[in-house]
Amino acid sequence: MPITTFQELLAEAARVGPRRVAVAAAAVPEALEAAAAVQRAGIARCVLIDAPERLEPALAEVGLDPAAFRVLPATDAPGAARLAMRMAREGEVDVVVKGAVSTAAFLQAALDRDEGVRAGRLLTHVGVYDLPRFGRLLLVSDGGVLVVARGQGG
């Protein structure tokens, strides 16, 4: 049966079982609340990566118990991204989520030859949109990637 709504997608993710997720630079309310929600739903087990002096007050601010998560320290946001990518490369996590780290630093960590996730395979991202009037989910792949052929302007 096709999945046509975000609620159906969440239900299927819970049925499949938890994935291991690293949240790089996790000390922002949106990332922490999302991590808590997917853990409660049985969709993921999250590793929060950030500087303890940022992460501990951020968890307290949204009323979350640090003991509910695996917490790893990082000195700064780019360092958190590098650690998350290293964990993905080594098979410790299945998914890496961008928290309060710049897109440039996140992608630099992902594409790093020594610690990133480049392995001669396709590297992509997908945005999932639930547009009620559309009647099904809309998936957009690589929305921020611009491809320019050699010799073309730009």
Side-chain angles (χ1 to χ4, degrees), residues 44-97:
R45 294 289 165 250
C46 296
V47 179
L48 306 179
I49 306 170
D50 212 321
E53 63 271 13
R54 284 191 299 274
L55 188 55
E56 291 167 9
L59 283 162
E61 180 181 325
V62 294
L64 295 174
D65 180 1
F69 304 94
R70 181 176 173 203
V71 175
L72 296 177
T75 56
D76 56 18
R82 286 190 302 274
L83 176 54
M85 296 305 169
R86 188 176 326 122
M87 292 175 74
R89 181 183 186 116
E90 294 173 1
E92 292 181 56
V93 297
D94 306 304
V95 176
V96 178
V97 174

Side-chain angles (χ1 to χ4, degrees), residues 94-138:
D94 306 304
V95 176
V96 178
V97 174
K98 178 184 172 293
V101 58
S102 73
T103 300
F106 190 77
L107 288 175
Q108 185 177 17
L111 298 174
D112 183 270
R113 290 189 188 278
D114 298 321
E115 295 183 338
V117 293
R118 287 178 18 163
R121 299 184 316 243
L122 180 66
L123 178 65
T124 188
H125 80 275
V126 176
V128 180
Y129 301 89
D130 190 354
L131 307 171
R133 292 179 147 184
F134 193 58
R136 62 184 183 267
L137 294 174
L138 175 65

